[in-house]
């Protein structure tokens, strides 16, 4: 009888662990789905930028984030900050600088995570960079999402965070690119870019 | 059995949508509000069984919203879970002084939210 009860308790514990694991995966998928859905829910550029910041601040967990973009129609122009949260002006002014980690990520068109890829060549203001995600369309980099320190209670990027960075690279890029095209078209037609 | 109703309050739509999806899938009814003032109106109208309240919001922050909810007869005893950016002792203390029942820290973790809601409400 005691053995049966023990086995039953073991089984309950195992099922609880299984449920927790499934719920965590479900939560991760829900976050990814909502992030992608939100990025494509609007063609308003300002709204798309807001969603990118919401994903980094609230779901990944960094309150030091900036989105850089090249001015529309100027493929050779340097990247400049178009939206930010929690970063000092001196960092914002340096973000588009040549050399360093952000420039390397943008030149290669590939996400750079210093904790994984190394910090070699980091400029002074990049010492606490957590990730730089280039925003691309047809292999052309037109912007980047960069963020620095994670919240104190978050020790490092999780599996979900890496998936969210992939989502930003793919869906963030296409959403922001479409919004830029929409804005340009609306400007030429003298219409309203909001939908 | 009546489904339990959860009011979720956050100015970030992305967070609201993830919370809504998780809680609905777990069998709860969900009502959303985007700031403190909307939360007070929704609480009077919807009579939620539990409220999840972000701290940093425009118009009225989470602490003030929590205080006002506690002053009202209909929400005096409703569990309120505050979501703080920092788990700093001061923030947590202000939250409990404002009348919150429990707290979660950002970044947002949907699975953790579900565990905490279940703890206070039981299964849906």
């Amino acid at each position: 009888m005691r053995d049966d009860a023990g086995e039953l308790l073991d089984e309950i514990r195992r099922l609880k662990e299984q449920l927790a694991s499934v719920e965590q995966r479900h939560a991760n998928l829900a976050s990814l789905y909502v992030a992608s859905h939100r990025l494509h829910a609007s063609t308003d550029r300002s709204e798309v930028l807001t969603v990118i910041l919401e994903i980094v601040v609230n779901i990944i967990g960094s309150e030091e984030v900036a989105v850089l973009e090249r001015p529309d129609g100027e493929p050779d122009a340097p990247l400049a900050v178009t939206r930010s949260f929690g970063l000092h002006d001196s960092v914002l002014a340096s973000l588009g600088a040549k050399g360093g980690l952000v420039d390397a990520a943008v030149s290669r068109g590939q996400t750079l995570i210093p904790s994984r890829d190394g910090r070699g060549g980091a400029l002074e203001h990049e010492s606490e960079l957590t990730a730089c995600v280039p925003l691309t369309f047809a292999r052309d980099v037109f912007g980047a999402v960069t963020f620095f320190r994670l919240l104190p209670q978050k020790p490092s990027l999780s599996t979900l965070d890496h998936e969210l960075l992939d989502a930003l690279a793919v869906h963030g890029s296409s959403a922001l690119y479409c919004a830029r095209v929409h804005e340009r078209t609306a400007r030429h037609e003298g219409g309203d870019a909001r939908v | 059995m009546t489904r339990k109703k959860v009011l979720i309050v956050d100015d970030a739509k992305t967070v609201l949508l993830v919370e809504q999806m998780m809680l609905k899938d777990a069998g709860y009814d969900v009502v959303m509000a985007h700031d403190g003032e909307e939360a007070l109106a929704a609480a009077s109208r919807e009579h939620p069984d539990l409220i999840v309240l972000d701290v940093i919001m425009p118009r009225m922050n989470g602490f003030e919203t929590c205080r006002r909810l506690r002053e009202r007869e209909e929400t005096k005893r409703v569990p309120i879970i505050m979501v703080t950016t920092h788990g700093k002792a001061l923030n947590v203390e202000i939250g409990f002084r404002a009348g919150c029942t429990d707290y979660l820290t950002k970044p947002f973790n949907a699975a953790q939210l579900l565990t905490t809601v279940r703890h206070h409400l039981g299964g849906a």
Side-chain angles (χ1 to χ4, degrees):
Chain A
M1 187 89 153
R2 204 170 287 154
D3 286 350
D4 287 349
E7 278 177 28
L8 204 57
L9 287 174
D10 283 347
E11 181 68 1
I12 290 169
R13 191 165 47 243
R14 195 183 59 77
L15 287 171
K16 274 186 177 172
E17 284 169 7
Q18 211 169 26
L19 176 67
S21 163
V22 168
E23 276 186 347
Q24 184 60 59
R25 188 62 199 151
H26 180 203
N28 290 357
L29 288 172
S31 298
L32 282 169
Y33 170 78
V34 169
S36 307
H37 172 81
R38 287 275 294 139
L39 283 167
H40 292 293
S42 173
T43 53
D44 179 61
R45 190 170 148 269
S46 176
E47 179 68 12
V48 174
L49 289 170
T50 298
V51 175
I52 291 173
L53 258 63
E54 279 185 8
I55 291 168
V56 175
V57 172
N58 293 292
I59 301 186
I60 294 176
S62 169
E63 293 192 323
E64 297 180 351
V65 54
V67 180
L68 298 99
E69 291 178 78
R70 265 188 238 291
D72 201 15
E74 297 178 40
D76 299 323
L79 293 174
V81 175
T82 53
R83 186 69 73 87
S84 68
F85 182 85
L87 283 168
H88 196 271
D89 285 348
S90 61
V91 175
L92 293 175
S94 310
L95 273 179
K98 285 282 173 198
L101 299 177
V102 172
D103 190 38
V106 168
S107 302
R108 283 198 292 264
Q110 286 178 351
T111 296
L112 189 142
I113 301 169
S115 61
R116 178 191 69 189
D117 305 324
R119 291 194 181 273
L123 299 175
E124 194 182 341
H125 68 274
E126 295 177 328
S127 61
E128 294 189 288
L129 182 77
T130 293
C132 174
V133 182
L135 300 170
T136 61
F137 186 79
R139 293 189 180 176
D140 289 332
V141 177
F142 66 89
V145 180
T146 57
F147 59 93
F148 290 75
R149 282 183 304 178
L150 294 170
L151 291 170
Q153 61 269 29
K154 174 139 185 171
S156 59
L157 293 173
S158 65
T159 305
L160 170 64
D161 297 328
H162 285 275
E163 290 170 339
L164 283 166
L165 295 183
D166 290 343
L168 279 178
V170 176
H171 298 287
S173 291
S174 57
L176 189 57
Y177 186 84
C178 288
R180 282 160 60 101
V181 171
H182 196 266
E183 189 178 69
R184 188 196 318 147
T185 308
R187 208 168 38 233
H188 287 167
E189 291 174 354
D192 187 355
R194 288 173 190 274
V195 288
Chain B
M1 200 168 80
T2 322
R3 285 158 65 102
K4 299 274 174 65
K5 191 183 283 184
V6 180
L7 168 62
I8 51 178
V9 192
D10 203 306
D11 59 323
K13 282 184 203 162
T14 309
V15 172
L16 279 181
L17 290 175
V18 181
E19 288 179 346
Q20 182 194 37
M21 186 180 277
M22 286 300 293
L23 291 169
K24 273 192 167 176
D25 286 352
Y28 297 102
D29 283 337
V30 178
V31 182
M32 298 193 284
H34 299 90
D35 59 47
E37 287 183 15
E38 270 188 36
L40 294 176
S44 297
R45 194 178 60 239
E46 303 283 349
H47 306 292
D49 298 293
L50 181 143
I51 300 169
V52 180
L53 191 57
D54 187 29
V55 169
I56 299 164
M57 293 186 294
R59 300 213 287 177
M60 187 191 299
N61 71 29
F63 297 132
E64 181 58 24
T65 308
C66 189
R67 260 190 292 275
R68 295 206 192 181
L69 285 165
R70 287 302 183 229
E71 284 167 7
R72 296 175 172 193
E73 195 53 43
E74 73 264 27
T75 47
K76 203 176 258 179
R77 288 171 198 85
V78 174
I80 298 176
I81 299 166
M82 299 211 76
V83 183
T84 70
T85 306
H86 304 290
K88 283 180 187 166
L90 179 63
N91 259 351
V92 173
E93 195 189 319
I94 294 171
F96 280 119
R97 262 194 277 141
C100 82
T101 316
D102 206 343
Y103 74 96
L104 289 169
T105 52
K106 286 194 175 180
F108 171 73
N109 181 322
Q112 207 172 50
L113 169 76
L114 207 53
T115 305
T116 309
V117 168
R118 278 203 192 109
H119 174 74
H120 291 284
L121 281 187

